[in-house]
Each structure stands twice: as C-alpha cells, then as structure tokens.
Amino acid sequence: EKVVEKEVVVTATPEHKGPVTLRFVTHLAAEYFQKTPILDAVEKYNAEHSDVQVELIPMPFEQLQSQLQLMANSGNPPDVAIVNIVVDHNLGSTGILEPLDEYLTEDLASAYLEAPLDGSRFGPNGELLSLPLVDNSYLFSMRRDLAEKAGITEPPETMEEFADYMRAVAALETDDAGNKIWGGSFDTADWYIAASHVMPFVWAFGGREFDEEGKVAINSPETLAALKYWKELADAGVMGPVGSDVRDMRQLFALGQTGFTTDANVMKGIYRSASGLGEEVDDLWTWFLPPVVPGVTEDPQTVLWGQRVVVFRGSEHKDEAFDFAYWLTTDPGFVMQYYRDTGQLPTTHELLADDEVQNDPLGKF
C-alpha cells in the first residue's frame, strides 16, 4: 500500500502585543497643589482606553526642560508632556517636537479659541508644535489684612502708589510670631521666572525688549528706571528677600508675611494649599493689574502664562500620543477640575463659556 504524505502547513500564531503604552511627563504631577487632577485624568483615560495605557512620569519643574531635552537627544523621548508656555518654544527650537498640523483637523481645531491656538504655531515655518491646555495672565496680589493694618484700602494704580504701599506694609515690621513682614516679594533667583516678575515693571516705565527696527533695546533709560525702582526698595529692606525664588514668594504671601507679590492665575490654588486654610484664604487677598507710570504708560501690560501639551518627534506612537494630548486639552472633566484646583482658564470655546468660569472674578483678567 502506498503511503501518501500530506504537507502540513503550520501558521504562526500572531503575537499579542497588548495595549500601546504612552510615556507622559509633567511637572504638574510633582507639585502638591496640581497633582490630583493629573492623577485622576490618567486613571480615567486608562480606564476608558483598553488599547492605550498612559504611564505617568512626574518631574520637578526645575529639571523639566533639561531632562526632556536629554531624553530626546539620547533617543528615549517620552510620547507626551505638559510644559509651560516658554518651555514648549525652547524645546521646539531644537527640533524634538512633532508638528501637529496633519493630526489637528479643521473640525478638531474649532474647539479652541483662536489666540491660544495661534500662539502654539511657533515652528520655523509656522508649524503647530503644541496644544493649548490653559492660559492665564500674570497679575499682582495684595494681602488685604496687611494692607488694612497699614492703612491701605485699595490696590495701587500707579508705580508711585505701589512703592508707598509696599513701604507702609514693611513698616509693620513683624507679625505676631515675630516673622519679618516684607512690603513686596518677587523672584530674584531664577532668570526665567524673575523675567516674568520684572517685565511688567519695565513696560510700565516705558522700557521695551526691542525697538521698532528689531534691535535690542532692553538697556534703555526706561529699563534702567524700572531697575532703579526695584533696587531702591530692595536696599531699603522693603522688597525681598533678595535672592529668593518664586516658591519662597508664594509661601510668604500665603502665610501673610509679605504685602504684595505677583503670579499667574495659578496663584489661587497655590495660596489655598500653602496657607493651610483652603478656600478661607480667598478672603485675605485680592488681585490687581500692574500699576502704570502716568505720562509714560496708560494701559497696564502683563505677561501671558499657560500650560501646553506637546508630542515628541521620536515617539513610536504619534497617533495615540496626539489623541491623548487632544483629550487632555478638551476633556471637560479634567480641564474643569484643573481650573477649580488652580484657577487657570480653559482654552476651548465650550469650557471658557461655562457659567462657573464666567462668574469667577479672577477669570475676567
């Protein structure tokens, strides 16, 4: 009997790859007053997306830019990151960010306000290199309780009034526990933050970074007048402590040890947390636009601040990374909770029009 051998074809079983893992870096998850909405957002996204899982990597703000650049240069970039509005530009200038124009369809783009989205188009040829999460302005803050003790009833409108008010608060000398009371406290340690603190003063005195021909003009007499203003108050022990950074300023203000300071809208969340009083601290302070110098400036000018979401060029999962980045900037649950905890304003038409935001006095700035 003849035996016929049959050819057996063995088909390999496809390897199960599992869900895509996105590495997500943000300083927000490393800061006590901002981390809760971030942790909740990652948990929610992972629960709703079985095919994508987000791995959260908290990173201190001071290390954020250098570490992201190092990770990208070494060939091991994260997929997505939340960074401050200046950091996204700095990273974009090195070519490590993925242009998002082909991902952001016209329909998706319509969710955002025009100005913050335009501000995210900072590639060499106008490419979209980030998505706007929140926008806010640098404003000045005044402790109502210290101001009242110093005989001050309203925030200053001119730089001359501002100097007088800071001197009046500093004249209180110490609080009930013996801690020194400063008239005003501003960052003089970190150039990056210090520039945001000092520039409203420079603009008020008529200084500009560049002249009409695009030439550097920061060393103008007007800028020197602003710096003289600062120096005289610092030398008199009214403004300080000299050499301290923004975290120190925030702590001093939250504890009622300085009369005036400046910060972005995020100050609301910071003061609530740092004071230990929660929402009760809201009654102890108020905010105001930068004072002007009559005859030199008429309209207050301040610094734009915000958080942006970026995708890295070296990501192996760019489609999924973009989807997560878009979700972060538009999801009502996350964005509104982040707003409630920090005071930072949404950048979408829908959420900015929400009654909760529209009725927030801080939101009008």
Side-chain angles (χ1 to χ4, degrees), residues 295-357:
V296 178
T297 50
E298 297 181 2
D299 299 321
Q301 299 180 67
T302 190
V303 178
L304 175 67
W305 195 249
Q307 305 291 349
R308 298 292 184 259
V309 185
V310 297
V311 173
F312 286 82
R313 189 184 293 271
S315 170
E316 296 181 356
H317 310 290
K318 294 185 181 69
D319 289 332
E320 293 85 354
F322 171 80
D323 290 344
F324 177 56
Y326 186 80
W327 182 89
L328 278 173
T329 56
T330 60
D331 177 70
F334 166 61
V335 177
M336 289 301 292
Q337 187 58 51
Y338 188 49
Y339 156 73
R340 295 185 190 105
D341 286 4
T342 68
Q344 299 186 81
L345 302 174
T347 60
T348 66
H349 294 283
E350 176 189 0
L351 299 182
L352 192 63
D354 188 280
D355 287 344
E356 184 176 355
V357 178

Side-chain angles (χ1 to χ4, degrees), residues 21 37 44 51 53-54 77 84 96 112 116 127 142 167 191 195 223 230 232 250 294 299 307 319 334 354:
T21 298
K44 177 184 178 183
D51 57 335
Q53 293 295 284
V54 176
N84 283 347
I96 65 174
Y112 299 104
E127 298 93 340
M142 180 181 81
R167 290 190 184 98
W191 72 267
T223 298
W230 265 51
E232 288 178 349
R250 291 166 169 172
D299 299 321
Q307 305 291 349
D319 289 332
F334 166 61
D354 188 280

Side-chain angles (χ1 to χ4, degrees), residues 197-310:
H197 286 206
V198 75
M199 285 312 297
F201 289 87
V202 172
W203 293 331
F205 278 86
R208 294 293 181 269
E209 304 94 307
F210 304 96
D211 63 20
E212 294 180 356
E213 298 178 355
K215 296 180 181 179
V216 174
I218 197 66
N219 59 342
S220 67
E222 292 81 5
T223 298
L224 294 178
L227 296 179
K228 180 182 178 182
Y229 177 96
W230 265 51
K231 187 176 187 304
E232 288 178 349
L233 291 169
D235 288 347
V238 172
M239 188 186 291
V242 175
S244 296
D245 68 12
V246 66
R247 297 185 191 279
D248 298 316
M249 310 299 97
R250 291 166 169 172
Q251 189 75 7
L252 288 171
F253 190 84
L255 297 178
Q257 294 171 22
T258 190
F260 297 88
T261 191
T262 185
D263 213 324
N265 286 26
V266 70
M267 65 182 106
K268 181 168 72 173
I270 293 171
Y271 299 157
R272 287 178 178 180
S273 180
S275 67
L277 299 175
E279 294 184 12
E280 292 181 16
V281 79
D282 293 357
D283 296 330
L284 299 179
W285 69 282
T286 190
W287 52 90
F288 56 99
L289 291 170
V292 300
V293 177
V296 178
T297 50
E298 297 181 2
D299 299 321
Q301 299 180 67
T302 190
V303 178
L304 175 67
W305 195 249
Q307 305 291 349
R308 298 292 184 259
V309 185
V310 297

Side-chain angles (χ1 to χ4, degrees), residues 37 43 47 51 80 93 125 130 133 149-150 153-154 163-164 176 189 215 227 236 276 305 358:
E43 182 179 359
D51 57 335
V80 180
S93 68
N125 299 303
S130 67
L133 173 57
K149 290 180 181 179
T153 58
E154 297 292 335
D164 290 342
D176 294 340
K215 296 180 181 179
L227 296 179
W305 195 249
Q358 290 296 309

Side-chain angles (χ1 to χ4, degrees), residues 9 17 25 43 91 93 95 110 136 163 170 186-187 233 236 241 283 355:
V9 179
K17 295 182 179 180
V25 173
E43 182 179 359
L91 295 176
S93 68
S110 67
N136 48 116
F186 304 92
D187 191 310
L233 291 169
D283 296 330
D355 287 344

